[in-house]
């Protein structure tokens, strides 16, 4: 699809049903009916940055900051094993006390003890640090570029640099990571044209994974009064991303489920093939509030697993076999 076709498909006046159906078929034909389940460990909500949309920004004094210890992270990884998850996603703010150097011994311990695939989501670091993390055994890395619109990026991430963000994505790829990126949909000032550019950029960057969620305004941030994204726009973005990128791994995000009780289910029916249930300790979940109303904050990991399996059953889908590595360089069939 070209840019004009994408803009048209994103427009509220266009009936999405035909391309939702096409996205579902592209998903089935290229990544199958299996859904990869990744256990999410939010191991620190401390962050040095001040993204205007994000609840754990450094400038939000209301956040009760926490850091899990190495032992607590290992305990989460054991939970993942017990629930038959094959991947853990270790996510944090850009916490100077959990630098790549500090993360390395933990991921080595997780790898050695559990053999799980490890995805990191810990923000912007140097080329050398990315290489070291990869050498230590991390398999994948998530770093959303948030928006392809340079001006909007600058307005929303005042202490980040647009070009450096994309340099980070190139370094991650060079270091041998399977790389995921993505955006929020419905940001203040974001146009359909820039969302179409986002999708074309997913393709150009040849990503292994693409995460898309609606922007949900957080009352404790500068964007408190903004409108926020809709489920409809989020689903259109997921569907078009599937059609354009074909065999990427695309999660039905928690933000999608927060906006609507059937949000994740709907995403799985129009292109998504991944779920990322939370396996963080329940006592810290409310403190990792990027946006308000986040689902599952008081559910123990095993309840989320039950929920996931019930959801898959209701959709006629199953958990996927294996680690769920990238399909980019895998032989088709
Ligand atoms: N609404 C929706 N998504 C958000 N994120 C951060 N803040 C919000 C918000 N208010 C997303 C960003 C980030 C990911 C971890 O969470 O896209 O990359
Ligand atoms: Fe932490 Fe944006 S607020 S990276």
């Amino acid at each position: 699809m070209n840019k004009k076709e994408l803009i048209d498909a994103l427009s509220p006046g266009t009936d999405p049903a035909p391309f939702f159906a096409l996205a579902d078929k592209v998903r089935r034909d290229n990544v199958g009916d299996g859904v990869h389940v990744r256990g999410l460990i939010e191991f620190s909500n401390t962050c040095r940055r001040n993204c205007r949309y994000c609840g754990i920004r450094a400038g939000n004094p209301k956040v009760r900051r926490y850091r899990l210890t190495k032992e607590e992270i290992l305990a989460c990884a054991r939970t993942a094993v017990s629930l038959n998850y094959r991947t853990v996603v270790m996510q944090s703010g850009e916490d100077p006390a959990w630098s790549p150097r500090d993360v390395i011994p933990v991921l080595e311990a997780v790898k050695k003890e559990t053999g799980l695939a490890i995805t990191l989501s810990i923000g912007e670091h140097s080329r050398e640090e990315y290489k070291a993390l990869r050498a230590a055994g991390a398999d994948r890395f998530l770093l959303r570029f948030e928006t392809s619109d340079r001006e909007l990026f600058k307005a929303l991430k005042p202490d980040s640099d647009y070009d450096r963000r994309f340099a980070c994505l190139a370094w991650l790829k060079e270091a041998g990571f399977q790389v995921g990126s993505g955006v929020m949909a419905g940001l203040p000032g974001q146009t359909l044209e820039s969302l179409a550019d986002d999708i074309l950029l997913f393709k150009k960057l040849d990503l292994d994974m693409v995460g898309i969620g609606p922007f949900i305004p957080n009352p404790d941030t500068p964007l408190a009064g903004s409108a926020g994204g809709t489920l409809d726009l989020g689903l259109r973005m997921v569907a078009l991303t599937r059609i354009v990128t074909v065999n990427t791994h695309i999660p039905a995000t928690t933000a999608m489920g927060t906006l609507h009780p059937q949000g994740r289910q709907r995403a799985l029916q129009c292109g998504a093939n991944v779920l990322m249930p939370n396996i963080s300790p329940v006592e810290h979940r409310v403190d990792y509030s990027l946006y308000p109303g986040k689902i599952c904050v008081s559910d123990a990991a095993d309840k989320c697993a039950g929920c996931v399996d019930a959801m898959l059953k209701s959709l006629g889908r199953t958990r996927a076999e294996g680690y769920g590595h990238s399909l980019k360089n895998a032989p088709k069939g």
Side-chain angles (χ1 to χ4, degrees), residues 47-51 53-54 56-58 93-94 157:
C47 191
R48 64 188 166 113
R49 292 197 196 269
N50 267 302
C51 303
Y53 47 80
C54 185
I56 64 168
R57 63 203 302 273
E94 289 192 18
K157 293 177 70 71

Side-chain angles (χ1 to χ4, degrees), residues 133-155:
L133 289 162
R134 173 75 186 123
D139 302 276
R140 313 186 190 125
F141 203 107
L142 307 178
L143 185 74
R144 291 188 181 176
F145 58 77
E146 313 294 1
T147 172
S148 60
D149 178 331
R150 187 181 282 274
E151 290 310 310
L152 184 57
F153 183 99
K154 206 156 107 190

Side-chain angles (χ1 to χ4, degrees), residues 24 30 58 75 84 94 121 130 175 251 282 293 308 326:
D24 199 41
N30 293 277
N84 291 319
E94 289 192 18
S121 175
Y130 286 149
V282 175
V308 158
S326 174

Side-chain angles (χ1 to χ4, degrees), residues 34 114 124 132 140 242 257 295 312:
T114 68
E124 293 179 32
R140 313 186 190 125
R242 169 59 68 205
I295 51 171
L312 294 183

Side-chain angles (χ1 to χ4, degrees), residues 2 6 36 40 78 89 182 202 207 215 225 288:
N2 63 31
L6 288 171
H36 296 285
L40 178 64
R78 288 182 197 121
V89 180
F202 298 152
L207 297 169
F215 162 60
Y288 206 90

Side-chain angles (χ1 to χ4, degrees), residues 53-55 91 144 146 183-184 214-218 255 290-291:
Y53 47 80
C54 185
Q91 185 174 79
R144 291 188 181 176
E146 313 294 1
V183 298
M184 284 172 284
F215 162 60
I216 304 174
N218 186 315
L290 310 184
Y291 47 81

Side-chain angles (χ1 to χ4, degrees), residues 43 120 130 146 159 214 219 257 271 293 321:
F43 68 94
L120 297 175
Y130 286 149
E146 313 294 1
D159 48 12
E321 305 276 332

